[in-house]
């Protein structure tokens, strides 16, 4: 009996051990399957977000066209097409490596042309590249609006290369390099810019300011007394359509920057939407108080200002924080437009410097105030605000300083500004030999 008992116990133990091993093996397989599924969800979501951000190119084209005159519509469309096309190639060949390659302390030194990638497989780097490419295109196209209606097309093509290949990626490596193989000095400090208020928007905005200043104002913008004159856009309906497209695309820009297919997408979408709405409301009433009219163009730019401002803190603030950030941005964009027009006297037809440069800086600084973890208003002191200030200042010095040099060199070489005759007739005819609204314009190609 004892032998049978021992035998039974032994069999029971062996079955238990075998069952545990089988359960452990099944658990490993289950974990691997879950990880593979999550990676695939992340890839799909990040690609969808990239496609939404790409659609923002259409939004920028509509906004810039609507806020400028009909005789320059083809030129605006061509610039938005070509800055993304040229930017795509420049970022693939050079910019991506400078931004996300293994760093030498200042910029990346690997991944140029995505070397080493398996072009027969589904490497994550392909998804990451397309997502970052559309961000680079956004930084480049911001400049287009501020320099509209008087820039030589070939000059524009030249600076599109430099922005996407060098200026944007090198600053990006300081703040975001660690997303792949880099380790930038700003991110080591603890700088926060979740989706690019500074990295994308302020860099584009400060370059736009440099370009507008080197280029000079449009003919007739300032009278003999130095006072600015309004040069109305030809189609506010187009501009409004562009803003709605951009608002829609921002749900890829900010929530997409999680690169994770989970519940955080919804949270970031909520903060993004709240700030945009608050920005539109604040800009409307600010302009209404100044001009005694509910200015539609200011309200549209207010929505964009709120979106730009929330881009840095969208992941790290509450809903109430997002509302306040958007409200401040809406007020700030209106005041900034008047300041740039009347004091600096830089002719910015679409308000790009105010929306992207100024409100991008505000959004980045707001992290130091409203971040739930580290913000001054949540009892965490001034440390994060100081770090954010360093990042904002570094972006301005880098982009505005290099922008002045770059635009001056272009001006002296390939040329930056069209002739007075071409500007008067319109760039559609002078630069492209065609009209956006054939048969409806004063000038012809004859």
């Amino acid at each position: 009996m004892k032998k049978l008992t021992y035998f039974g116990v032994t069999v029971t133990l062996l079955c238990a051990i075998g069952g545990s091993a089988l359960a452990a093996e099944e658990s490993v397989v289950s974990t691997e399957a879950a990880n593979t599924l999550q990676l695939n969800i992340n890839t799909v979501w990040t690609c969808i977000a990239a496609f939404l951000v790409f659609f923002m190119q259409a939004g920028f084209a509509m906004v810039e066209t609507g806020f400028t005159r009909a005789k320059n519509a083809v030129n605006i469309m061509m610039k938005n097409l070509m800055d993304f096309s040229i930017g795509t190639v420049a970022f693939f060949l050079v910019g991506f490596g400078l931004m996300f390659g293994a760093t030498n302390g200042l910029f990346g030194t690997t991944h140029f042309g995505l070397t080493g990638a398996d072009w027969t497989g589904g490497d994550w780097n392909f998804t990451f590249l397309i997502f970052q490419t559309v961000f680079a295109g956004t930084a480049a196209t911001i400049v287009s609006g501020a320099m509209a209606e008087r820039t030589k097309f070939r000059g524009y093509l030249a600076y599109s290369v430099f922005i996407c290949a060098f200026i944007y990626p090198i600053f990006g490596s300081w703040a975001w390099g660690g997303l792949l193989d880099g380790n930038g000095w700003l991110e080591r400090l603890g700088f926060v810019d979740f989706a690019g208020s500074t990295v994308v928007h302020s860099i584009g905005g400060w370059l736009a300011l440099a370009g507008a200043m080197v280029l000079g104002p449009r003919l007739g913008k300032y009278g003999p007394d130095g006072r600015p004159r309004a040069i109305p856009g030809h189609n506010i309906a187009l501009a409004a359509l562009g803003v709605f497209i951009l608002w829609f695309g921002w749900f890829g820009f900010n929530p997409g920057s999680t690169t994770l297919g989970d519940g955080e997408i919804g949270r970031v979408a909520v903060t993004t939407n709240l700030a945009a709405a608050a920005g539109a409301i604040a800009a409307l009433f600010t302009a209404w108080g100044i001009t005694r009219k509910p200015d539609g163009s200011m309200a549209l730019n207010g929505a964009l200002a709120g979106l730009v401002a929330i881009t840095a803190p969208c992941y790290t603030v509450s809903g109430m924080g997002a509302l306040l950030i958007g409200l401040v941005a809406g007020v700030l964009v209106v005041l900034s437009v008047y300041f740039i027009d009347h004091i600096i006297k830089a002719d910015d037809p679409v308000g790009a410097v105010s929306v992207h440069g100024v409100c991008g800086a505000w959004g980045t600084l707001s992290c130091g105030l409203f971040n739930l973890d580290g913000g001054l208003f949540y009892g965490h002191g001034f440390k994060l605000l100081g770090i954010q200030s360093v990042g904002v200042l570094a972006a301005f010095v880098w982009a505005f300083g290099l922008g002045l040099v770059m635009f001056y060199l272009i001006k002296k070489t390939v040329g930056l500004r069209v002739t007075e005759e071409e500007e008067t007739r319109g760039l559609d005819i002078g630069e492209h030999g065609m009209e956006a609204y054939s048969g409806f314009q004063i000038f012809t190609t004859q």
Side-chain angles (χ1 to χ4, degrees):
M1 288 293 294
K2 286 184 178 180
K3 287 184 178 180
L4 289 173
T5 302
Y6 291 151
F7 177 75
V9 169
T10 302
V11 170
T12 302
L13 286 172
L14 287 173
C15 289
I17 292 169
S20 297
L22 182 61
E25 184 177 349
E26 289 177 347
S27 176
V28 170
V29 172
S30 177
T31 301
E32 289 178 352
N35 289 340
T36 300
L37 177 61
Q38 185 62 58
L39 177 60
N40 288 336
I41 292 171
N42 296 346
T43 300
V44 170
W45 164 239
T46 305
C47 282
I48 291 172
F51 306 153
L52 286 172
V53 177
F54 169 72
F55 190 47
M56 290 172 69
Q57 288 289 131
F60 281 114
M62 294 296 100
V63 169
E64 292 169 25
T65 302
F67 281 157
T68 53
R69 289 167 289 185
K71 62 184 180 180
N72 299 305
V74 172
N75 181 257
I76 296 291
M77 294 297 175
M78 287 298 296
K79 289 197 296 182
N80 278 271
L81 171 67
M82 295 312 302
D83 62 31
F84 185 80
S85 300
I86 290 173
T88 292
V89 176
F91 192 72
F92 170 70
L93 293 175
V94 180
F96 185 75
L98 290 176
M99 193 163 176
F100 296 108
T103 184
N104 61 10
L106 291 176
F107 50 81
T109 58
T110 58
H111 295 309
F112 298 109
L114 218 60
T115 52
D118 178 9
W119 287 91
T120 64
D123 194 310
W124 165 255
N125 283 0
F126 293 123
T127 300
F128 191 64
L129 170 63
I130 190 62
F131 188 67
Q132 293 300 331
T133 297
V134 293
F135 273 50
T138 298
T141 206
I142 288 167
V143 184
S144 169
M147 300 176 66
E149 301 201 293
R150 72 266 200 211
T151 305
K152 276 189 177 181
F153 188 63
R154 62 185 178 186
Y156 184 82
L157 298 182
Y159 69 71
S160 294
V161 174
F162 287 106
I163 290 171
C164 289
F166 302 107
I167 298 175
Y168 166 74
I170 291 176
F171 183 83
S173 74
W174 301 346
W176 286 353
L179 293 175
L180 198 59
D181 292 336
N183 186 19
W185 66 270
L186 276 175
E187 57 187 333
R188 290 199 301 271
L189 284 178
F191 179 68
V192 177
D193 188 359
F194 183 72
S197 286
T198 282
V199 175
V200 179
H201 294 281
S202 278
I203 290 295
W206 301 140
L207 284 165
L209 177 61
M213 292 177 70
V214 173
L215 189 59
R218 290 168 290 175
L219 296 175
K221 174 62 180 177
Y222 293 96
D225 59 356
R227 294 172 62 85
R229 296 167 172 168
I231 302 178
H234 84 283
N235 196 329
I236 298 302
L238 270 186
L241 174 62
V243 169
F244 282 118
I245 291 173
L246 288 170
W247 196 329
F248 175 66
W250 237 283
F251 292 123
F253 209 101
N254 288 359
S257 292
T258 64
T259 65
L260 293 173
D262 61 15
E264 291 181 343
I265 296 171
R267 173 168 58 85
V268 176
V270 167
T271 57
T272 299
N273 193 57
L274 285 171
I281 294 167
L284 172 69
F285 284 100
T286 302
W288 203 341
I290 294 172
T291 66
R292 302 292 182 254
K293 294 288 184 181
D295 189 318
S297 62
M298 286 296 188
L300 292 170
N301 266 341
L304 297 181
L307 288 164
V308 169
I310 198 61
T311 298
C314 59
Y315 187 79
T316 52
V317 299
S318 68
M320 288 303 299
L323 278 173
L324 292 171
I325 290 166
L327 285 170
V328 173
V331 175
L332 195 59
V333 72
V334 176
L335 300 180
S336 175
V337 165
Y338 283 109
F339 180 81
I340 290 171
D341 236 11
H342 289 78
I343 306 302
I344 298 179
K345 297 189 185 301
D347 183 13
D348 179 359
V350 304
V353 178
S354 299
V355 169
H356 299 279
V358 174
C359 291
W362 155 241
T364 307
L365 292 172
S366 75
C367 292
L369 302 174
F370 293 98
N371 270 20
L372 297 172
D373 182 15
L376 176 63
F377 294 160
Y378 290 87
H380 296 287
F382 289 91
K383 181 180 179 181
L384 181 58
L385 183 60
I387 293 170
Q388 297 301 100
S389 300
V390 170
V392 167
L393 181 61
F396 178 78
V397 171
W398 173 256
F400 184 69
L402 278 184
L404 289 175
V405 173
M406 176 183 67
F407 288 118
Y408 180 79
L409 290 175
I410 292 173
K411 181 178 179 179
K412 294 298 182 182
T413 52
V414 299
L416 191 60
R417 182 160 186 154
V418 297
T419 65
E420 288 190 8
E421 181 184 358
E422 287 174 320
E423 185 176 344
T424 301
R425 298 186 72 195
L427 303 190
D428 290 0
I429 294 171
E431 289 277 274
H432 306 283
M434 62 178 64
E435 299 172 280
Y437 307 99
S438 182
F440 292 89
Q441 288 180 255
I442 296 171
F443 300 111
T444 69
T445 55
Q446 302 301 317

